[in-house]
Amino acid sequence: YSGVLVAIAMAAIYIDGRWQPWLLAVAGTLAALGVSLLLRGVPGVYTWPFVLVTWLLLTAVHYLPGLQRARPATEPTVVESSPVL
């Protein structure tokens, strides 16, 4: 479960690029699996592997050449609403 969350965070939300987000998604999935196995037996772990691995990868992005965080849109998208009759 945590591995899937890390993959979504890296490939779809936080990292810009063509193939780099997918590489981080695979690495993050494997890392989350490892953290989950390390924390096996600890009560109340839930999504801690997701949180820890995501923080680690987002920190690593600042130090790895060729990677950059996704930037939010400069203008918010406005959807015009029609009056309800």
Side-chain angles (χ1 to χ4, degrees):
Y1 178 75
S2 290
V4 172
L5 293 177
V6 172
I8 292 169
M10 292 300 111
I13 297 174
Y14 289 123
I15 308 300
D16 274 342
R18 291 180 157 220
W19 55 270
Q20 297 94 335
W22 297 102
L23 183 64
L24 280 179
V26 171
T29 300
L30 295 174
L33 174 63
V35 172
S36 295
L37 291 175
L38 286 174
L39 296 176
R40 186 176 24 167
V42 176
V45 172
Y46 305 115
T47 59
W48 274 107
F50 158 68
V51 172
L52 295 173
V53 171
T54 301
W55 284 352
L56 176 72
L57 291 176
L58 289 176
T59 302
V61 165
H62 292 288
Y63 300 104
L64 296 173
L67 291 176
Q68 64 180 1
R69 299 254 330 250
R71 303 280 182 225
T74 56
E75 295 287 327
T77 304
V78 177
V79 178
E80 292 186 32
S81 61
S82 61
V84 178
L85 298 175

